[in-house]
Amino acid sequence: MSTVYLIGAGPGDPGLLTIRAKELIETCDVVVYDYLANADFLDYARPDAEIIYVGKKGGDHTLPQDQINALIIAKAKAGKSVARLKGGDPYVFGRGGEEAEELVEAGVPFEVVPGVTAGVAAPAYAGIPVTHRDFTTSVCFITGHEDPTKEESGHNWEVYAKSNSTLVFYMGVKNLPMIAGNLMAGGRPKDTPVALVRWGTRCNQESMVSTLERVAEDAEKRKFAAPSIIIVGGVCSLSNKLAWFEKKPLLGKGVVVTRAREQASELADLLKDMGACVYEFPTISVEPLDDYAEVEQAILSLGGVDWLVFTSVNGVRFFWDQLAEAGLDSRALGGVEVAAIGPATAGELRLRGVNPDFVPPKYVAESVVAGLLERGVQGKSVLIPRAKVAREILPEELARAGAKVRVLPVYETRLAQQDPDEIIDALSAGKIHAVTFASSSTVENFFDLLPLETMRLYPKVRFACIGPVTAKTLKRYGLNAHIQPEEYTIPGLAAALAAAL
């Protein structure tokens, strides 16, 4: 029999997941998660892990609580280790205590991994400290949705009303008129500041500040719905002064990242740091070649090469994989000059102890050709490890200049087997504001996966291209690049997107 881990998954921001929680998700046999646990955390699970969704949304129970209890007990008794992911903290209005009691009753060993609770995190992301020496020295966490089967309410509204504590209500937005009314009836002043934070800590967070007297009306006007945290107390008046999260330049903006899954993280992370809701839609898969005999022969003949030109991070990685297969390392490049297109490619080389001899001022093939000509590439032997299919302008121009050029495929790119339904649903819901393209092939593959006619239905969606070559490819589809950075890099693309949106 294995252990059940009752894990607090935090309020939604992936960065607020604890290290212990991540370790357990990575190792457990079964992951059971609910509606408020960020589905991004499932990326940490083992490929062979069993993933089970038991969410409850707006009264719609995918699996009732008693069946959830039975499920995790059965999995543990079958010898499985179980990561039971619960939004926030499992013991703060998460019914974790009930699940723990059932596990004890069944004789199943368990551990509890506390999580960051929304009652602290959501206010903090909205600029509201739940305690502050100028306002209050205590905080009270209260459910806004009691068990309807209870004979008597557990609330003492008179105590809440007369208390100077910050009051934080969970799951109470539907009962907001009742909550505000009871507090005022108990003696809380009508002008007491009240804040609501919806989807706290996530890219679609929104907040508002009102007063006890007006909050129900204001929330209805702004269509505030669950999941929302309600904060009552003077600390709410600090929101405008201390707000930081909702000032992020891309907060709430939906951005599609079309890079290969292996390369998407850099752009996705930059956009998320700016507050964007990122939709990863890899249009390319990067695959090894079926046969590396030609690459092995080229590596063993590096003594006759004057210049190695790397056009991508993938080219560096796959080339070094084959160096290792041949029992060699960076020393095999002794005497060979090395060029890299772009800072990311240069950085990948430096990780392997190779400082490029040449990085062009502009990260396109044309600039590489000009720079190498200045360095006397004429008559020299040039080896270009790259994708099996790529633009030919670099080898053609170098050959025209008198270089002895050999293109060496070290990997290939293929059309990703990607289902566009999530993107189409998000488009129809108005959640996507921009689509990013980091290469011509991402443009071509995007429209292979998602029909051009579909995109034409959403003229407000903006297209961001990393450079003029990619923009030119987009133009072939009759679409303009609305956003294009001055520096043709991933950080440049992210910065241009933030400035434009």
Side-chain angles (χ1 to χ4, degrees):
M1 188 171 3
S2 292
T3 303
V4 172
Y5 300 92
L6 302 176
I7 300 172
D13 182 342
L16 298 183
L17 187 73
T18 66
I19 293 173
R20 176 61 173 158
K22 179 174 179 287
E23 289 172 347
L24 291 170
I25 297 170
E26 289 172 335
T27 56
C28 280
D29 302 309
V30 181
V31 179
V32 180
Y33 74 106
D34 66 25
Y35 172 58
L36 292 178
N38 194 322
D40 288 350
F41 300 147
L42 302 180
D43 292 340
Y44 297 134
R46 292 178 358 217
D48 62 335
E50 184 180 3
I51 310 295
I52 304 172
Y53 174 64
V54 294
K56 307 168 190 174
K57 179 179 179 182
D60 180 14
H61 293 232
T62 301
L63 207 62
Q65 186 63 49
D66 60 340
Q67 292 184 35
I68 295 174
N69 299 340
L71 171 69
I72 59 179
I73 289 169
K75 293 296 181 183
K77 287 189 172 181
K80 309 283 188 181
S81 55
V82 181
R84 169 68 173 111
L85 285 185
K86 305 175 74 65
D89 180 277
Y91 277 7
V92 181
F93 304 120
R95 305 190 73 172
E98 296 171 44
E99 292 181 9
E101 287 184 294
E102 292 291 333
L103 292 167
V104 170
E105 187 72 22
V108 174
F110 72 95
E111 292 183 18
V112 178
V113 180
V116 179
T117 182
V120 172
Y125 273 51
I128 301 170
V130 291
T131 64
H132 190 290
R133 63 191 306 169
D134 292 339
F135 294 93
T136 181
T137 56
S138 59
V139 59
C140 183
F141 297 124
I142 308 164
T143 178
H145 181 74
E146 281 193 288
D147 183 347
T149 64
K150 289 170 63 175
E151 292 184 5
E152 293 185 12
S153 171
H155 291 309
N156 189 327
W157 292 103
E158 188 175 347
V159 170
Y160 296 158
K162 288 182 167 48
S163 167
N164 191 42
S165 296
T166 300
L167 307 179
V168 180
F169 291 87
Y170 290 67
M171 304 166 291
V173 70
K174 287 184 178 179
N175 296 324
L176 187 55
M178 178 271 289
I179 291 170
N182 284 340
L183 290 174
M184 288 187 288
R188 274 259 177 161
K190 295 179 179 181
D191 61 354
T192 301
V194 181
L196 270 69
V197 185
R198 185 169 192 241
W199 287 119
T201 79
R202 302 189 186 216
C203 65
N204 53 344
Q205 173 181 308
E206 56 179 330
S207 63
M208 56 167 278
V209 178
S210 183
T211 63
L212 266 182
E213 184 178 31
R214 295 186 52 86
V215 67
E217 180 184 348
D218 290 346
E220 186 176 357
K221 285 180 181 177
R222 292 190 55 174
K223 298 181 180 178
F224 258 74
S228 294
I229 289 287
I230 304 165
I231 309 106
V232 179
V235 289
C236 297
S237 63
L238 294 171
S239 179
N240 284 339
K241 182 178 181 180
L242 301 183
W244 58 276
F245 185 68
E246 289 176 40
K247 292 180 180 178
K248 287 178 176 281
L250 291 175
L251 188 76
K253 302 295 185 184
V255 182
V256 179
V257 174
T258 58
R259 300 192 89 196
R261 195 173 299 281
E262 299 85 355
Q263 297 174 297
S265 59
E266 182 187 5
L267 179 56
D269 289 347
L270 287 169
L271 295 173
K272 287 175 184 177
D273 284 344
M274 295 177 183
C277 299
V278 174
Y279 295 82
E280 291 194 31
F281 185 65
T283 60
I284 293 174
S285 65
V286 179
E287 307 286 347
L289 302 178
D290 294 329
D291 184 1
Y292 275 98
E294 182 185 359
V295 179
E296 181 181 355
Q297 183 269 328
I299 285 173
L300 296 176
S301 305
L302 282 174
V305 174
D306 299 302
W307 276 95
L308 261 176
V309 179
F310 290 97
T311 59
S312 70
V313 167
N314 286 324
V316 176
R317 290 174 180 168
F318 280 92
F319 184 81
W320 251 263
D321 286 346
Q322 293 311 304
L323 269 181
E325 285 289 325
L328 302 171
D329 56 26
S330 301
R331 290 172 293 180
L333 275 62
V336 180
E337 293 190 272
V338 178
I341 295 186
T345 305
E348 198 69 24
L349 286 165
R350 292 188 184 103
L351 288 175
R352 291 159 173 77
V354 175
N355 196 37
D357 299 284
F358 172 59
V359 180
K362 289 190 175 182
Y363 313 125
V364 290
E366 293 82 351
S367 186
V368 178
V369 172
L372 290 177
L373 287 175
E374 291 176 5
R375 286 159 177 77
V377 77
Q378 297 91 336
K380 299 292 181 67
S381 172
V382 178
L383 185 64
I384 307 177
R386 64 167 208 185
K388 191 172 183 179
V389 177
R391 292 180 72 217
E392 298 300 330
I393 187 168
L394 177 59
E396 288 175 356
E397 290 298 314
L398 287 174
R400 190 173 290 115
K404 302 169 186 174
V405 181
R406 180 182 177 186
V407 171
L408 181 67
V410 293
Y411 68 97
E412 63 180 320
T413 58
R414 297 175 186 165
L415 178 67
Q417 300 301 310
Q418 192 73 16
D419 186 347
D421 286 351
E422 181 190 6
I423 301 300
I424 293 172
D425 289 346
L427 283 166
S428 62
K431 294 181 179 180
I432 290 178
H433 301 83
V435 179
T436 62
F437 297 114
S439 67
S440 290
S441 53
T442 58
V443 176
E444 294 162 349
N445 288 5
F446 181 80
F447 291 113
D448 280 344
L449 293 166
L450 197 152
L452 179 60
E453 293 72 22
T454 299
M455 285 307 306
R456 291 193 187 281
L457 298 175
Y458 307 99
K460 292 184 179 180
V461 174
R462 309 185 80 182
F463 297 103
C465 292
I466 197 167
V469 175
T470 305
K472 187 176 179 181
T473 303
L474 182 64
K475 189 70 175 177
R476 292 207 320 260
Y477 291 85
L479 300 170
N480 293 318
H482 305 102
I483 301 163
Q484 187 177 306
E486 292 185 12
E487 183 181 81
Y488 312 147
T489 63
I490 293 300
L493 179 60
L497 197 64
L501 297 185

Short mmCIF file of all heavy atoms in Angstrom, two decimals, residues 292 295 299 302 308-334 336-340 345-356 383 385-386 408 410-411:
data_model
loop_
_atom_site.label_atom_id
_atom_site.label_comp_id
_atom_site.label_asym_id
_atom_site.label_seq_id
_atom_site.Cartn_x
_atom_site.Cartn_y
_atom_site.Cartn_z
N TYR A 292 22.54 9.03 -39.10
CA TYR A 292 23.54 10.05 -38.82
C TYR A 292 24.92 9.72 -39.40
O TYR A 292 25.93 10.27 -38.99
CB TYR A 292 23.66 10.27 -37.31
CG TYR A 292 22.64 11.25 -36.78
CD1 TYR A 292 21.46 10.81 -36.20
CD2 TYR A 292 22.84 12.63 -36.88
CE1 TYR A 292 20.50 11.70 -35.72
CE2 TYR A 292 21.89 13.53 -36.41
CZ TYR A 292 20.74 13.06 -35.84
OH TYR A 292 19.81 13.96 -35.38
N VAL A 295 26.61 12.77 -40.83
CA VAL A 295 27.05 13.69 -39.77
C VAL A 295 28.33 13.15 -39.12
O VAL A 295 29.28 13.90 -38.86
CB VAL A 295 25.94 13.90 -38.72
CG1 VAL A 295 26.42 14.83 -37.61
CG2 VAL A 295 24.68 14.45 -39.38
N ILE A 299 31.93 15.08 -38.92
CA ILE A 299 32.60 15.37 -37.64
C ILE A 299 34.03 14.85 -37.65
O ILE A 299 34.96 15.52 -37.18
CB ILE A 299 31.78 14.76 -36.48
CG1 ILE A 299 30.53 15.62 -36.22
CG2 ILE A 299 32.63 14.65 -35.21
CD1 ILE A 299 29.57 15.01 -35.22
N LEU A 302 36.49 17.29 -39.47
CA LEU A 302 36.49 18.71 -39.08
C LEU A 302 37.84 19.38 -39.31
O LEU A 302 37.91 20.61 -39.41
CB LEU A 302 36.09 18.85 -37.61
CG LEU A 302 34.60 18.73 -37.29
CD1 LEU A 302 34.37 18.75 -35.80
CD2 LEU A 302 33.83 19.87 -37.96
N LEU A 308 32.58 26.93 -39.04
CA LEU A 308 31.33 26.26 -38.67
C LEU A 308 30.30 27.36 -38.43
O LEU A 308 30.53 28.27 -37.65
CB LEU A 308 31.51 25.47 -37.37
CG LEU A 308 31.77 23.97 -37.45
CD1 LEU A 308 32.02 23.42 -36.05
CD2 LEU A 308 30.58 23.23 -38.07
N VAL A 309 29.18 27.28 -39.12
CA VAL A 309 28.14 28.32 -38.99
C VAL A 309 26.88 27.67 -38.43
O VAL A 309 26.27 26.81 -39.08
CB VAL A 309 27.84 28.99 -40.34
CG1 VAL A 309 26.74 30.04 -40.16
CG2 VAL A 309 29.11 29.63 -40.91
N PHE A 310 26.49 28.08 -37.21
CA PHE A 310 25.30 27.56 -36.57
C PHE A 310 24.17 28.58 -36.70
O PHE A 310 24.33 29.75 -36.33
CB PHE A 310 25.55 27.25 -35.10
CG PHE A 310 26.46 26.06 -34.89
CD1 PHE A 310 27.82 26.24 -34.65
CD2 PHE A 310 25.97 24.77 -34.96
CE1 PHE A 310 28.66 25.16 -34.47
CE2 PHE A 310 26.80 23.68 -34.77
CZ PHE A 310 28.15 23.87 -34.53
N THR A 311 23.03 28.13 -37.20
CA THR A 311 21.92 29.04 -37.45
C THR A 311 20.81 28.92 -36.41
O THR A 311 19.84 29.67 -36.46
CB THR A 311 21.31 28.77 -38.84
OG1 THR A 311 20.86 27.41 -38.89
CG2 THR A 311 22.35 28.99 -39.94
N SER A 312 20.94 27.98 -35.47
CA SER A 312 19.89 27.81 -34.46
C SER A 312 20.44 27.06 -33.26
O SER A 312 21.47 26.38 -33.33
CB SER A 312 18.71 27.02 -35.04
OG SER A 312 19.08 25.67 -35.25
N VAL A 313 19.71 27.19 -32.16
CA VAL A 313 20.03 26.44 -30.94
C VAL A 313 19.94 24.94 -31.21
O VAL A 313 20.77 24.16 -30.75
CB VAL A 313 19.07 26.86 -29.81
CG1 VAL A 313 19.16 25.90 -28.64
CG2 VAL A 313 19.36 28.28 -29.35
N ASN A 314 18.92 24.52 -31.97
CA ASN A 314 18.77 23.10 -32.27
C ASN A 314 19.96 22.56 -33.04
O ASN A 314 20.39 21.42 -32.82
CB ASN A 314 17.49 22.87 -33.08
CG ASN A 314 16.24 23.01 -32.22
OD1 ASN A 314 16.24 22.64 -31.06
ND2 ASN A 314 15.19 23.57 -32.80
N GLY A 315 20.49 23.35 -33.96
CA GLY A 315 21.66 22.92 -34.71
C GLY A 315 22.83 22.63 -33.79
O GLY A 315 23.55 21.63 -33.96
N VAL A 316 23.03 23.51 -32.78
CA VAL A 316 24.11 23.30 -31.81
C VAL A 316 23.87 22.02 -31.02
O VAL A 316 24.77 21.18 -30.88
CB VAL A 316 24.21 24.51 -30.86
CG1 VAL A 316 25.27 24.25 -29.78
CG2 VAL A 316 24.54 25.78 -31.63
N ARG A 317 22.66 21.85 -30.51
CA ARG A 317 22.37 20.71 -29.64
C ARG A 317 22.54 19.37 -30.37
O ARG A 317 23.19 18.45 -29.85
CB ARG A 317 20.95 20.82 -29.10
CG ARG A 317 20.78 21.95 -28.10
CD ARG A 317 19.34 22.14 -27.69
NE ARG A 317 19.20 23.23 -26.72
CZ ARG A 317 18.04 23.76 -26.36
NH1 ARG A 317 16.91 23.29 -26.87
NH2 ARG A 317 18.00 24.74 -25.48
N PHE A 318 21.98 19.28 -31.56
CA PHE A 318 22.06 18.01 -32.27
C PHE A 318 23.49 17.74 -32.75
O PHE A 318 23.93 16.58 -32.78
CB PHE A 318 21.08 17.99 -33.45
CG PHE A 318 19.67 17.69 -33.04
CD1 PHE A 318 18.78 18.71 -32.74
CD2 PHE A 318 19.22 16.38 -32.94
CE1 PHE A 318 17.47 18.43 -32.37
CE2 PHE A 318 17.93 16.09 -32.56
CZ PHE A 318 17.04 17.12 -32.27
N PHE A 319 24.22 18.79 -33.12
CA PHE A 319 25.61 18.61 -33.54
C PHE A 319 26.43 18.08 -32.37
O PHE A 319 27.23 17.14 -32.53
CB PHE A 319 26.18 19.93 -34.05
CG PHE A 319 27.58 19.83 -34.59
CD1 PHE A 319 27.81 19.39 -35.88
CD2 PHE A 319 28.67 20.19 -33.81
CE1 PHE A 319 29.10 19.29 -36.39
CE2 PHE A 319 29.97 20.10 -34.31
CZ PHE A 319 30.18 19.65 -35.60
N TRP A 320 26.22 18.65 -31.18
CA TRP A 320 27.01 18.20 -30.02
C TRP A 320 26.60 16.80 -29.58
O TRP A 320 27.44 16.05 -29.08
CB TRP A 320 26.88 19.20 -28.87
CG TRP A 320 28.18 19.94 -28.67
CD1 TRP A 320 29.15 19.66 -27.76
CD2 TRP A 320 28.65 21.06 -29.43
NE1 TRP A 320 30.21 20.54 -27.91
CE2 TRP A 320 29.92 21.42 -28.92
CE3 TRP A 320 28.13 21.80 -30.48
CZ2 TRP A 320 30.67 22.47 -29.43
CZ3 TRP A 320 28.87 22.86 -30.99
CH2 TRP A 320 30.12 23.18 -30.46
N ASP A 321 25.35 16.45 -29.77
CA ASP A 321 24.94 15.07 -29.48
C ASP A 321 25.76 14.08 -30.31
O ASP A 321 26.19 13.03 -29.81
CB ASP A 321 23.45 14.87 -29.78
CG ASP A 321 22.56 15.53 -28.74
OD1 ASP A 321 23.06 15.90 -27.66
OD2 ASP A 321 21.35 15.68 -29.02
N GLN A 322 25.97 14.43 -31.55
CA GLN A 322 26.73 13.54 -32.43
C GLN A 322 28.22 13.59 -32.14
O GLN A 322 28.93 12.59 -32.32
CB GLN A 322 26.45 13.88 -33.90
CG GLN A 322 25.01 13.58 -34.33
CD GLN A 322 24.56 12.18 -33.91
OE1 GLN A 322 25.20 11.19 -34.26
NE2 GLN A 322 23.47 12.11 -33.16
N LEU A 323 28.72 14.75 -31.69
CA LEU A 323 30.11 14.81 -31.21
C LEU A 323 30.30 13.78 -30.09
O LEU A 323 31.27 13.02 -30.07
CB LEU A 323 30.44 16.20 -30.68
CG LEU A 323 31.02 17.24 -31.64
CD1 LEU A 323 31.30 18.53 -30.88
CD2 LEU A 323 32.29 16.75 -32.31
N ALA A 324 29.35 13.79 -29.13
CA ALA A 324 29.44 12.87 -28.00
C ALA A 324 29.35 11.42 -28.46
O ALA A 324 30.07 10.54 -27.94
CB ALA A 324 28.33 13.17 -26.99
N GLU A 325 28.47 11.15 -29.44
CA GLU A 325 28.34 9.79 -29.97
C GLU A 325 29.65 9.31 -30.57
O GLU A 325 29.98 8.13 -30.52
CB GLU A 325 27.24 9.75 -31.03
CG GLU A 325 25.82 9.80 -30.49
CD GLU A 325 25.44 8.51 -29.78
OE1 GLU A 325 25.88 7.44 -30.22
OE2 GLU A 325 24.71 8.60 -28.78
N ALA A 326 30.41 10.27 -31.12
CA ALA A 326 31.70 9.92 -31.73
C ALA A 326 32.83 9.90 -30.71
O ALA A 326 34.01 9.71 -31.07
CB ALA A 326 32.02 10.91 -32.85
N GLY A 327 32.50 10.12 -29.43
CA GLY A 327 33.52 10.12 -28.38
C GLY A 327 34.34 11.39 -28.35
O GLY A 327 35.46 11.40 -27.82
N LEU A 328 33.79 12.47 -28.90
CA LEU A 328 34.51 13.75 -28.97
C LEU A 328 33.79 14.82 -28.15
O LEU A 328 32.68 14.62 -27.66
CB LEU A 328 34.63 14.21 -30.42
CG LEU A 328 35.34 13.24 -31.39
CD1 LEU A 328 35.20 13.72 -32.83
CD2 LEU A 328 36.82 13.10 -30.99
N ASP A 329 34.45 15.98 -28.01
CA ASP A 329 33.83 17.11 -27.33
C ASP A 329 34.28 18.39 -28.03
O ASP A 329 34.76 18.35 -29.17
CB ASP A 329 34.18 17.13 -25.84
CG ASP A 329 35.69 17.14 -25.58
OD1 ASP A 329 36.45 17.62 -26.46
OD2 ASP A 329 36.11 16.68 -24.50
N SER A 330 34.15 19.52 -27.36
CA SER A 330 34.43 20.82 -27.99
C SER A 330 35.86 20.95 -28.49
O SER A 330 36.14 21.78 -29.37
CB SER A 330 34.12 21.95 -27.00
OG SER A 330 32.77 21.91 -26.60
N ARG A 331 36.77 20.16 -27.96
CA ARG A 331 38.16 20.24 -28.41
C ARG A 331 38.31 19.86 -29.88
O ARG A 331 39.27 20.24 -30.54
CB ARG A 331 39.04 19.34 -27.54
CG ARG A 331 39.22 19.87 -26.12
CD ARG A 331 39.92 18.87 -25.23
NE ARG A 331 39.12 17.68 -25.00
CZ ARG A 331 39.52 16.65 -24.25
NH1 ARG A 331 40.71 16.66 -23.68
NH2 ARG A 331 38.73 15.60 -24.08
N ALA A 332 37.32 19.12 -30.41
CA ALA A 332 37.36 18.72 -31.82
C ALA A 332 37.26 19.93 -32.74
O ALA A 332 37.58 19.83 -33.93
CB ALA A 332 36.24 17.74 -32.12
N LEU A 333 36.82 21.10 -32.18
CA LEU A 333 36.67 22.30 -33.00
C LEU A 333 37.94 23.15 -33.00
O LEU A 333 37.95 24.26 -33.55
CB LEU A 333 35.50 23.15 -32.49
CG LEU A 333 34.10 22.78 -33.01
CD1 LEU A 333 33.71 21.37 -32.60
CD2 LEU A 333 33.06 23.77 -32.50
N GLY A 334 39.01 22.66 -32.41
CA GLY A 334 40.26 23.42 -32.36
C GLY A 334 40.72 23.82 -33.75
O GLY A 334 40.80 22.99 -34.65
N VAL A 336 39.01 25.67 -35.80
CA VAL A 336 37.86 26.01 -36.63
C VAL A 336 37.23 27.29 -36.09
O VAL A 336 37.00 27.42 -34.89
CB VAL A 336 36.81 24.88 -36.62
CG1 VAL A 336 35.62 25.26 -37.49
CG2 VAL A 336 37.42 23.57 -37.08
N GLU A 337 36.95 28.26 -36.97
CA GLU A 337 36.24 29.46 -36.54
C GLU A 337 34.74 29.19 -36.55
O GLU A 337 34.23 28.44 -37.39
CB GLU A 337 36.58 30.63 -37.47
CG GLU A 337 38.05 31.06 -37.35
CD GLU A 337 38.33 32.36 -38.07
OE1 GLU A 337 38.63 32.28 -39.28
OE2 GLU A 337 38.24 33.43 -37.44
N VAL A 338 34.05 29.80 -35.60
CA VAL A 338 32.64 29.48 -35.38
C VAL A 338 31.80 30.76 -35.45
O VAL A 338 32.14 31.78 -34.84
CB VAL A 338 32.44 28.80 -34.01
CG1 VAL A 338 30.96 28.52 -33.78
CG2 VAL A 338 33.26 27.51 -33.93
N ALA A 339 30.71 30.69 -36.20
CA ALA A 339 29.75 31.79 -36.29
C ALA A 339 28.41 31.33 -35.74
O ALA A 339 28.05 30.16 -35.86
CB ALA A 339 29.60 32.26 -37.73
N ALA A 340 27.67 32.27 -35.14
CA ALA A 340 26.34 31.96 -34.60
C ALA A 340 25.37 33.05 -35.01
O ALA A 340 25.66 34.23 -34.87
CB ALA A 340 26.40 31.86 -33.08
N THR A 345 21.68 31.30 -29.95
CA THR A 345 22.59 30.30 -30.52
C THR A 345 24.00 30.49 -29.96
O THR A 345 24.68 29.51 -29.61
CB THR A 345 22.62 30.43 -32.06
OG1 THR A 345 21.28 30.32 -32.55
CG2 THR A 345 23.46 29.33 -32.68
N ALA A 346 24.42 31.74 -29.84
CA ALA A 346 25.74 32.02 -29.25
C ALA A 346 25.80 31.54 -27.81
O ALA A 346 26.80 30.96 -27.37
CB ALA A 346 26.03 33.52 -29.32
N GLY A 347 24.71 31.76 -27.06
CA GLY A 347 24.67 31.31 -25.68
C GLY A 347 24.76 29.80 -25.56
O GLY A 347 25.40 29.27 -24.65
N GLU A 348 24.10 29.10 -26.49
CA GLU A 348 24.15 27.63 -26.49
C GLU A 348 25.57 27.14 -26.74
O GLU A 348 26.01 26.14 -26.16
CB GLU A 348 23.19 27.09 -27.54
CG GLU A 348 22.81 25.64 -27.37
CD GLU A 348 21.94 25.36 -26.17
OE1 GLU A 348 21.24 26.30 -25.70
OE2 GLU A 348 21.96 24.21 -25.68
N LEU A 349 26.30 27.83 -27.61
CA LEU A 349 27.70 27.48 -27.86
C LEU A 349 28.56 27.74 -26.63
O LEU A 349 29.42 26.92 -26.27
CB LEU A 349 28.23 28.28 -29.05
CG LEU A 349 27.74 27.84 -30.43
CD1 LEU A 349 28.04 28.90 -31.48
CD2 LEU A 349 28.40 26.51 -30.83
N ARG A 350 28.33 28.86 -25.96
CA ARG A 350 29.13 29.19 -24.77
C ARG A 350 28.92 28.17 -23.66
O ARG A 350 29.83 27.90 -22.87
CB ARG A 350 28.79 30.60 -24.29
CG ARG A 350 29.25 31.69 -25.27
CD ARG A 350 29.08 33.09 -24.69
NE ARG A 350 29.44 34.09 -25.69
CZ ARG A 350 28.56 34.80 -26.39
NH1 ARG A 350 27.25 34.63 -26.18
NH2 ARG A 350 28.97 35.69 -27.28
N LEU A 351 27.70 27.60 -23.57
CA LEU A 351 27.45 26.56 -22.58
C LEU A 351 28.35 25.35 -22.81
O LEU A 351 28.62 24.58 -21.89
CB LEU A 351 25.98 26.11 -22.64
CG LEU A 351 24.94 27.08 -22.10
CD1 LEU A 351 23.53 26.53 -22.34
CD2 LEU A 351 25.14 27.33 -20.61
N ARG A 352 28.82 25.21 -24.04
CA ARG A 352 29.69 24.08 -24.40
C ARG A 352 31.15 24.50 -24.50
O ARG A 352 31.97 23.79 -25.06
CB ARG A 352 29.21 23.46 -25.71
CG ARG A 352 27.88 22.75 -25.54
CD ARG A 352 27.13 22.58 -26.84
NE ARG A 352 25.92 21.74 -26.65
CZ ARG A 352 24.79 22.16 -26.11
NH1 ARG A 352 24.68 23.44 -25.75
NH2 ARG A 352 23.77 21.36 -25.95
N GLY A 353 31.44 25.68 -23.96
CA GLY A 353 32.83 26.13 -23.90
C GLY A 353 33.36 26.73 -25.18
O GLY A 353 34.57 26.89 -25.34
N VAL A 354 32.46 27.10 -26.10
CA VAL A 354 32.89 27.68 -27.38
C VAL A 354 32.37 29.11 -27.46
O VAL A 354 31.16 29.35 -27.47
CB VAL A 354 32.35 26.86 -28.57
CG1 VAL A 354 32.71 27.54 -29.89
CG2 VAL A 354 32.91 25.44 -28.52
N ASN A 355 33.28 30.06 -27.50
CA ASN A 355 32.90 31.47 -27.66
C ASN A 355 32.92 31.79 -29.15
O ASN A 355 33.97 31.71 -29.80
CB ASN A 355 33.88 32.37 -26.91
CG ASN A 355 33.33 33.76 -26.73
OD1 ASN A 355 32.13 33.95 -26.51
ND2 ASN A 355 34.18 34.77 -26.82
N PRO A 356 31.76 32.12 -29.75
CA PRO A 356 31.73 32.33 -31.20
C PRO A 356 32.69 33.42 -31.66
O PRO A 356 32.85 34.45 -31.00
CB PRO A 356 30.28 32.75 -31.46
CG PRO A 356 29.52 32.30 -30.27
CD PRO A 356 30.45 32.35 -29.11
N LEU A 383 31.08 24.77 -43.10
CA LEU A 383 30.13 23.70 -42.77
C LEU A 383 28.97 24.32 -41.99
O LEU A 383 29.17 25.04 -41.01
CB LEU A 383 30.82 22.63 -41.92
CG LEU A 383 29.99 21.39 -41.57
CD1 LEU A 383 29.61 20.61 -42.82
CD2 LEU A 383 30.74 20.50 -40.58
N PRO A 385 25.80 23.15 -39.97
CA PRO A 385 24.89 22.17 -39.36
C PRO A 385 23.53 22.84 -39.12
O PRO A 385 23.44 23.87 -38.46
CB PRO A 385 25.57 21.82 -38.03
CG PRO A 385 26.97 22.37 -38.13
CD PRO A 385 26.86 23.56 -39.03
N ARG A 386 22.46 22.24 -39.64
CA ARG A 386 21.17 22.92 -39.57
C ARG A 386 20.04 21.89 -39.74
O ARG A 386 20.28 20.68 -39.75
CB ARG A 386 21.07 23.98 -40.65
CG ARG A 386 21.11 23.39 -42.05
CD ARG A 386 20.72 24.36 -43.13
NE ARG A 386 20.16 23.65 -44.26
CZ ARG A 386 19.81 24.20 -45.41
NH1 ARG A 386 19.98 25.50 -45.58
NH2 ARG A 386 19.27 23.49 -46.37
N LEU A 408 24.97 20.59 -43.70
CA LEU A 408 24.96 19.32 -42.98
C LEU A 408 23.68 19.22 -42.15
O LEU A 408 23.58 19.78 -41.06
CB LEU A 408 26.18 19.23 -42.05
CG LEU A 408 26.31 17.93 -41.25
CD1 LEU A 408 26.59 16.76 -42.18
CD2 LEU A 408 27.40 18.06 -40.18
N VAL A 410 21.40 18.06 -39.41
CA VAL A 410 21.62 17.36 -38.14
C VAL A 410 20.30 17.07 -37.41
O VAL A 410 20.29 16.38 -36.41
CB VAL A 410 22.58 18.15 -37.21
CG1 VAL A 410 23.98 18.18 -37.81
CG2 VAL A 410 22.06 19.56 -36.95
N TYR A 411 19.20 17.63 -37.91
CA TYR A 411 17.87 17.35 -37.37
C TYR A 411 16.85 17.72 -38.43
O TYR A 411 17.21 18.29 -39.48
CB TYR A 411 17.61 18.12 -36.07
CG TYR A 411 17.49 19.62 -36.25
CD1 TYR A 411 16.23 20.23 -36.35
CD2 TYR A 411 18.62 20.43 -36.29
CE1 TYR A 411 16.12 21.61 -36.51
CE2 TYR A 411 18.51 21.80 -36.44
CZ TYR A 411 17.26 22.39 -36.56
OH TYR A 411 17.15 23.74 -36.72
#
